């Protein structure tokens, strides 16, 4: 849903309500925080973070926006509960669209609505509650490994392994029919890829909400055992269909594309880091290695945008009421706060600094523990089953997404 706001900004800047050009036509001064050099943020991110960790983004039409790249300033912004608003209505007024296009969910909600919705969801995402999914995750991973083993020659690890694992897990969690998983994979990818243009992102979100609305109608009549059914049983009279669809849409797409990208890119790191792969295979420090992979990759590159509701000072900058603030999670997680060489992957880093790959504060990803379960299961199983796993193409030939809020790739050719 973060991509939606940037896409709508692009709509205003490119003009018109018809099919407008993909965001690749926008100047790099807008999109560069989403660009990477291989797996690393581009050098410009280091330059900004070291020289001006809180700085104005040079946007046209007088729109005032800030990019925050430093670790401490990012946490200060994301941790504030009264200086900024995530309310979609505030963005709608700034970029000339109707509030009826609000996608709903937690990301674009402020307290008390955010507090109420998150309170409903939280019991379903505790470690105790999620533990019921662990056997299913293990079975899904085992099934995908068997499918890989049946492939002769080159296999696409993205489509055969990384994407199906979270897709099937989220379908299990929500109660989405298995046969619809490919449809949601496509919608999830489209909404986060800014190169496809804002119309495509909005269309994907609308299609997802419409589909989930149909599921909710069914669940209202006969609640099942999934998340939708559980919320209807416990809070059916306290949550409207539109609200429930927004919440479910956020869980579905937020937990699909992000986890799939982490599995694929983490596997890529393991293929090029035999020492880490050996430790993962032996079950040594799996938790620490997963956390370091999360920090190093930080696939969700920017947090939900915020609007300042009062004048506030961040670092040495004065942000005015009404200014838009964007926090670079990928930039913050490469801060020297993590050690002298933050661009190096090192699972032995001290644990006194927590990464912000899942965000921070009241909008921190509610599905973080589910994602960790998937990663802790998928990585060791993959390198154990295929100890000779290697790229089937030179690294320079891998096609990474250039302007996507969720960093990743669409194909990962490997030899098993």
């Amino acid at each position: 849903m973060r991509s939606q706001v940037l896409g709508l900004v692009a709509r205003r800047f490119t003009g018109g309500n018809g099919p407008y050009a993909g965001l690749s036509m926008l100047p790099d001064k807008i999109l560069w925080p989403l660009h990477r050099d291989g797996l690393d943020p581009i050098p410009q991110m280091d330059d900004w973070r070291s020289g001006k960790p809180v700085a104005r983004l040079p946007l046209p039409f007088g729109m005032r926006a800030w990019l925050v790249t430093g670790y401490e300033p990012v946490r200060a912004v994301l941790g504030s509960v009264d200086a900024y608003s995530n309310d979609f209505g505030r963005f709608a007024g700034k970029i000339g669209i109707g509030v009826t296009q609000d996608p709903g969910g937690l990301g674009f909600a402020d307290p008390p609505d955010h507090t109420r919705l998150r309170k409903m969801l939280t019991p379903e995402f505790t470690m105790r509650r999620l533990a019921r999914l662990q056997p299913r995750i293990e079975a899904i991973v085992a099934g995908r490994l068997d499918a890989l083993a049946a492939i002769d020659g080159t296999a696409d690890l993205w489509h055969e392994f990384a994407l199906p694992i979270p897709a099937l897990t989220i379908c299990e969690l929500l109660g989405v029919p298995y046969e619809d998983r490919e449809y949601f994979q496509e919608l999830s990818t489209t909404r986060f890829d800014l190169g496809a243009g804002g119309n495509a992102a909005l269309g994907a979100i609308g299609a997802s909400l419409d589909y989930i609305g149909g599921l909710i109608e069914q669940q209202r009549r006969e609640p099942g055992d999934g998340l939708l059914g559980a919320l209807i049983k416990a809070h059916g009279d306290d949550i409207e269909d539109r609200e429930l669809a927004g919440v479910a849409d956020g869980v579905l797409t937020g937990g699909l594309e992000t986890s799939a990208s982490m599995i694929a890119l983490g596997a890529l790191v393991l293929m090029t880091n035999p020492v880490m792969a050996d430790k993962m295979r032996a079950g040594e420090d799996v938790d620490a290695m997963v956390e370091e992979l999360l920090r190093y990759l930080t696939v969700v590159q920017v947090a939900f945008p915020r609007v300042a509701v009062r004048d506030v000072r961040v670092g040495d900058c004065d942000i005015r009421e009404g200014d838009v603030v964007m926090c670079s999670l990928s930039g913050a997680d490469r801060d020297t706060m993590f050690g002298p060489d933050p661009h190096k992957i090192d699972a032995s880093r001290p644990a006194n600094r927590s990464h912000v790959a899942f965000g921070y504060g009241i909008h921190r990803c509610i599905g973080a523990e589910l994602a960790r379960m998937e990663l802790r299961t998928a990585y060791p199983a993959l390198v154990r089953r295929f100890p000779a796993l290697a790229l089937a193409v030179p690294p320079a030939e891998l096609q990474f997404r250039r302007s996507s809020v969720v960093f990743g790739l669409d194909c990962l050719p490997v030899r098993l």
Side-chain angles (χ1 to χ4, degrees):
M1 284 181 282
R2 303 162 180 80
S3 61
Q4 181 180 0
V5 169
L6 293 180
L8 292 171
V9 170
R11 175 178 175 175
R12 180 178 178 185
F13 293 164
T14 53
N17 293 321
Y20 50 89
L23 294 184
S24 59
M25 295 184 64
L26 290 174
D28 280 349
K29 64 185 179 182
I30 295 176
L31 291 181
W32 73 261
L34 302 180
H35 297 168
R36 294 210 186 187
D37 181 7
L39 297 178
D40 297 325
I42 60 175
Q44 188 176 353
M45 185 71 74
D46 285 342
D47 296 340
W48 274 49
R49 187 177 53 247
S50 60
K52 41 185 178 180
V54 183
R56 283 283 301 276
L57 272 176
L59 300 185
F61 301 108
M63 185 174 180
R64 287 177 55 93
W66 298 80
L67 179 67
V68 186
T69 56
Y71 178 80
E72 292 295 353
V74 162
R75 283 169 57 100
V77 172
L78 300 184
S80 174
V81 295
D82 60 358
Y84 309 94
S85 169
N86 282 52
D87 185 356
F88 183 82
R90 294 180 183 271
F91 296 101
K94 285 185 171 296
I95 56 183
I97 64 170
V99 295
T100 57
Q101 292 180 286
D102 185 352
L106 296 175
F108 284 123
D110 287 342
D113 287 339
H114 176 273
T115 306
R116 177 177 60 87
L117 293 174
R118 192 167 182 114
K119 187 176 180 180
M120 292 180 185
L121 274 175
T122 296
E124 297 299 316
F125 286 91
T126 62
M127 284 301 297
R128 179 178 179 181
R129 179 70 173 148
L130 291 174
R132 77 191 192 282
L133 291 175
Q134 183 62 43
R136 180 60 181 145
I137 294 173
E138 292 173 358
I140 291 170
V141 170
R144 297 319 306 164
L145 292 174
D146 289 343
L148 280 172
I151 296 174
D152 292 328
T154 300
D156 180 358
L157 200 67
W158 165 255
H159 283 99
E160 298 294 337
F161 187 74
L163 192 56
I165 291 171
L168 296 176
T169 301
I170 290 293
C171 286
E172 183 83 13
L173 174 68
L174 283 178
V176 172
Y178 175 86
E179 60 269 18
D180 291 343
R181 70 194 188 285
E182 292 186 1
Y183 175 63
F184 270 99
Q185 290 172 9
E186 180 180 354
L187 291 178
S188 180
T189 300
T190 301
R191 74 166 55 198
F192 288 120
D193 184 1
L194 299 193
N199 279 336
L202 284 171
I205 293 170
S208 178
L209 291 172
D210 288 345
Y211 173 83
I212 293 174
L215 288 181
I216 290 172
E217 289 182 10
Q218 298 173 14
Q219 293 287 318
R220 289 282 189 188
R221 294 191 296 268
E222 190 175 351
D225 295 328
L227 178 63
L228 287 175
L231 290 175
I232 287 171
K233 291 174 186 176
H235 308 285
D237 295 333
D238 301 321
I239 186 168
E240 298 178 352
D241 285 0
R242 176 69 181 184
E243 280 187 318
L244 184 54
V247 167
D249 175 71
V251 171
L252 183 63
T253 56
L256 173 54
E257 189 74 12
T258 54
S259 293
S261 290
M262 266 305 303
I263 292 172
L265 295 177
L268 174 60
V269 171
L270 292 172
M271 282 186 275
T272 57
N273 192 322
V275 174
M276 176 175 275
D278 286 343
K279 290 184 177 181
M280 190 75 75
R281 191 175 296 112
E284 298 178 15
D285 301 323
V286 171
D287 289 357
M289 286 189 285
V290 166
E291 294 307 309
E292 176 65 356
L293 286 168
L294 284 163
R295 179 202 70 83
Y296 178 73
L297 295 169
T298 309
V299 297
V300 179
Q301 303 204 76
V302 294
F304 285 98
R306 283 143 170 83
V307 173
V309 297
R310 57 177 172 81
D311 293 349
V312 59
R313 189 169 182 82
V314 181
D316 60 357
C317 295
D318 292 316
I319 296 174
R320 300 179 191 169
E321 179 183 352
D323 287 0
V324 176
V325 182
M326 302 292 297
C327 289
S328 172
L329 304 180
S330 56
D333 274 344
R334 297 296 184 93
D335 198 301
T336 53
M337 288 287 187
F338 290 98
D341 193 358
H343 294 304
K344 177 183 178 182
I345 189 161
D346 180 3
S348 65
R349 293 183 187 277
N352 61 343
R353 288 287 178 183
S354 300
H355 62 73
V356 291
F358 292 118
Y360 183 72
I362 65 170
H363 286 282
R364 181 179 179 274
C365 176
I366 198 168
E369 294 310 318
L370 178 59
R372 286 186 169 107
M373 289 170 61
E374 293 169 348
L375 301 178
R376 291 166 181 165
T377 304
Y379 292 146
L382 178 65
V383 295
R384 287 170 187 157
R385 182 70 174 268
F386 302 110
L389 185 71
L391 275 175
V393 298
E397 292 185 11
L398 292 175
Q399 298 294 313
F400 296 102
R401 297 173 190 161
R402 175 170 169 78
S403 301
S404 179
V405 174
V406 178
F407 177 63
L409 34 69
D410 294 313
C411 182
L412 183 57
V414 298
R415 294 191 306 272
L416 302 176

